């Protein structure tokens, strides 16, 4: 994958970003906070090493909200687009997949997490692996 072509932006284009390396992980999160912050049945997150995300915010439109003791979510203060998820102990930074400007088959989620919190009206009908909470292997791979 040519990661140099991977870029994204908020709805109004005030906040733009690019990825230096290919994503490490892509998953669908069904937790209550992700559902509320994205207004959807689940949020699809793309994770990269922190140094591999380059953010351009010339107008200082990126604002942050601390949604829990460990998590800060970033969004555009003009258009409201949810952009980034930053867990204090995570070695990766996450961006919402829907903000990527590139739509490619190789940028697909591999897992559903926090399925125990999923919206009752939503049916998962794919073959991706599912975890009621979060995959323990994930914690050992990406948490400090």
């Amino acid at each position: 994958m040519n990661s140099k072509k991977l870029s994204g932006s908020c709805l109004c284009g005030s906040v733009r970003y690019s990825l230096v390396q290919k994503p490490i992980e892509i998953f669908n999160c069904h937790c209550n906070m992700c559902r509320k912050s994205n207004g959807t049945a689940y949020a699809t997150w793309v994770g990269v090493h922190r140094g591999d995300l380059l953010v351009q915010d010339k107008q200082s439109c990126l604002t942050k909200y601390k949604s829990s003791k460990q998590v800060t979510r970033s969004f555009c203060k003009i258009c409201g687009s949810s952009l980034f998820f930053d867990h204090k102990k995570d070695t990766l930074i996450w961006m919402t997949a829907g903000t990527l400007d590139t739509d490619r088959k190789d940028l697909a989620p591999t897992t559903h997490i926090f399925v125990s919190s999923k919206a009752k009206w939503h049916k998962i009908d794919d073959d991706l692996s599912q975890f009621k909470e979060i995959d323990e292997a994930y914690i050992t791979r990406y948490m400090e």
Side-chain angles (χ1 to χ4, degrees):
M1 170 166 62
N2 184 352
S3 60
K4 294 183 190 270
K5 291 187 177 183
L6 287 178
S7 62
S9 62
C10 63
L11 182 61
C12 69
S14 296
V15 180
R16 300 184 116 2
Y17 65 86
S18 59
L19 306 180
V20 175
Q21 295 292 324
K22 69 179 185 176
I24 304 297
E25 180 117 22
I26 303 173
F27 63 76
N28 296 326
C29 183
H30 296 265
C31 80
N32 291 329
M33 283 198 267
C34 282
R35 288 192 291 119
K36 283 191 175 279
S37 76
N38 287 280
T40 57
Y42 57 87
T44 303
W45 294 102
V46 177
V48 297
H49 292 290
R50 292 175 185 282
D52 293 340
L53 173 66
L54 305 174
V55 179
Q56 298 168 353
D57 182 20
K58 294 177 184 170
Q59 299 173 9
S60 299
C61 295
L62 190 66
T63 192
K64 297 179 180 187
Y65 171 69
K66 193 167 175 105
S67 59
S68 70
K69 289 181 183 179
Q70 302 290 329
V71 174
T72 301
R73 295 168 186 271
S74 301
F75 58 95
C76 176
K77 66 182 177 183
I78 293 176
C79 66
S81 293
S82 176
L83 292 162
F84 308 113
F85 174 96
D86 189 1
H87 190 287
K88 196 167 153 177
K89 294 184 179 180
D90 203 330
T91 61
L92 302 181
I93 185 115
W94 302 88
M95 70 253 4
T96 50
T99 61
L100 283 168
D101 295 331
T102 309
D103 185 20
R104 295 167 36 169
K105 283 184 182 181
D106 61 342
L107 296 176
T110 59
T111 308
H112 292 276
I113 63 170
F114 292 106
V115 173
S116 61
S117 302
K118 79 173 191 58
K120 302 280 187 246
W121 48 265
H122 177 69
K123 179 182 177 188
I124 299 173
D125 58 3
D126 58 40
D127 294 330
L128 302 181
S129 58
Q130 297 182 27
F131 297 93
K132 287 184 178 183
E133 296 301 320
I134 195 164
D135 175 12
E136 288 301 318
Y138 169 83
I139 292 171
T140 59
R141 284 191 309 247
Y142 304 121
M143 295 291 189
E144 294 174 342

